[in-house]
Amino acid sequence: MYSASDLKKGLRIKLENEPYIVTEFNFVKPGKGQALYRSKLRNMITGAQFERTFRSADTFEPADLREQKMQFLYKEEQKYCFMDNESYDQVFLTEEQVGEARNFFIDNLEVEVLFFEDRPLGVTVPNFVDLVVVGAEPWAKGDSVSGKTKPVTLQTGYQIQVPPFIEEGEKIRVDTRSGEYLTRVKG
Amino acid sequence: MRDNWRLEKNRDALHTRARMIYAIRDFLVNRDYLEVETPSLVPSPIPEPHIDAVSCGDLYLHTSPELCMKRFLAAGYPKIFQICKCFRSGERGSFHLPEFTMLEWYCRGMDYRLLMEECEDLIISVAHNLGYGDIILYQGKTLSFRKPWEIISVREAFSRYAPVQMDDAVNEGLFDEFMVCHIEPHLGSGRPTILFDYPVSGATLAKAKEEEPGVAERFELYMGGVEIANACSELTDMKEHHVRIEKVQNYRDSMNKTLYPLAEHFLQDIANMPDAAGIALGVDRLAMIFSNASVIDDVVAFTPEFG
C-alpha cells in the first residue's frame, strides 16, 4: 500500500482496477494550509491522462505489473522491437509507449519491458547510459569557468545541455531519469 | 579533481542569493531593525494544524522562529529581524525543502496594512540593490515592482478565479484545494499580488478583524504564482491564544498527528505582548524570483538528496 507521500514521477498505482503511472508530480502546500500532492496520471492501457490532487491520508494499491529483462533490437516504422534473451520472444512497443526512453536506445541495450497480464505496456532503461556525442560546436576557450552550458546531439538524436568542454566524438554518461548530463566517460 | 556539476550549474544563482541576503540586511538595518538569533532547538514547536516538526532528542528543530521572536516583542524590543534555517518534516517539492531559509521581521505598533507597504519597500529596495530596474523577467513573463501592487482579498480572489465562494470552500473543507488549483496560478503575474484577509481557521496566531471575526488580518505575498511571504497583525489576547491552540491540538489529535508540548514560556510572555505585525518570508523562494529559477533546487548549494 502506498500513501500520498510515496507518490513520485514514474510510480505505478492501481485506481479502479486499472494501472496508472504518475507522469507529473508536485508537492504543494498553500500558506499555512495542508500538504497536497498534485499529480498527473496516465492510464497505462488507454494512455488517457488526467490531473488529480491527493491528500496525505489517501492510500493506493500498487499496480500488479511484471517486468521482463529484454534487449533493444531495432526500430521499424514507429515501432520498437525488443527480444527476450532466453526465449527469443519478440515484442513491439509504439513510439508513445516507449516515451522518453527512446532517447537512450543504443543497440543491444538491456531494458526492462513492462507487462500488464500479457500485454507489453512500456519500457525502463538503466539509470545511467553512456552515449556518444555526434554533434557539437567546438569549445571557445575561456568558457570553462562561466558555468554556462551548450547543446550537443547524441548518437540517438537526443539533444542535451552539457559543459562547454565536451566535444564531438566523446562519450558522456546521462542520467536517464532526469535526462541530464552526469559526467564525461573516458575511453 | 571531480567536478561538482550542481555547484557549477548554480554558481550564478548562489551569487545572486548571497547579494540578495546582504541587501535584505541592509534594508532592515537602515530601518532600525535589530538582527537577533533564537535557538534552532526548542522544547515546543509552533502550534500549527499542518506544520510538522523534526524531532531531535527531547527537543524539536524549530519550524519558524515566530514564538521566540514574539517573546522579544513582549520584552520590549520594538523592531527585530532574523534570517535563519527552519525545518519542516515531510516538505519536499519544487518550492519546498525540509530545511530552508526564512527571514522574519516584526514591528511593534504596526498592523498588517502598514506591513504590506514595508514588504513592498523591502522587495523594491532589494531589486534595486541587485542592480535590477523596476521590471524583471521571471519564467518568461515580466514582473513589475512598480507600485501599486495588486492587493486583493481572499474573498475577492475566490469570486474572481474559483468556482465556489470562499465561505463555501472553507465549510466543505476544500479551501486549500481551490487555493492551489484555481487561485494561486493567477497570483503575482505581471506584478506582485498581496492576498489579504484569510479565514481565521487558517491563521492560528493572527488577529481577527474586529468588523469580521471569521477573517484574520493576515496577508500573503505572491510573485509569479509562487508564495513568497506570510504576514499578519499579531494576536495579542492571552485567552484567545489558549482557545486557538486548543483547536489546533484537537485537530492534530483527530488526524493522528504528533501533539507537541504546550509552549509555556511563550504563553507566559504573551501577557506583555504589544500590538505588532510580523512577517515570514521564504528567502529561497525570493532567490528563485531574482535568479529566474523554476525549482528551489536551483538556488541552494545542496539539496537533501545530494547533501
Side-chain angles (χ1 to χ4, degrees), chain A residues 25-38 51 53-57 144-149 161-165 180-183, chain B residues 3 5 8-9 11-12 48-51 66 90-96 173-174 176-177 179-181 184-185 198 202 218 220 222 227 230 251:
Chain A
F25 171 72
N26 204 3
F27 170 90
V28 292
K29 203 163 185 256
K32 303 272 176 195
Q34 62 185 307
L36 296 173
Y37 302 83
R38 290 194 82 176
E51 268 188 53
T53 300
F54 299 104
R55 291 183 171 196
S56 310
S144 66
V145 290
S146 67
K148 291 208 182 91
T149 62
Q161 293 290 329
V162 300
F165 54 78
E180 283 176 11
Y181 165 87
L182 272 183
T183 182
Chain B
D3 56 339
W5 175 239
E8 192 55 41
K9 185 163 69 83
R11 186 184 290 268
D12 289 347
E48 283 281 357
H50 305 298
I51 297 177
E66 183 175 353
E91 302 199 357
R92 181 69 174 109
S94 308
F95 302 108
H96 289 85
L174 292 171
D176 295 330
E177 273 90 349
M179 186 57 90
V180 164
C181 299
E184 283 190 337
Y198 277 71
R218 172 186 157 206
E220 294 255 0
Y222 282 86
E227 178 205 346
N230 171 62
Y251 173 83

Side-chain angles (χ1 to χ4, degrees), chain A residues 80-99:
Chain A
Y80 294 80
C81 180
F82 302 88
M83 182 181 70
D84 185 320
N85 276 344
E86 281 167 18
S87 65
Y88 303 111
D89 286 343
Q90 293 186 12
V91 298
F92 290 90
L93 289 173
T94 63
E95 189 99 15
E96 201 169 46
Q97 285 173 318
V98 299

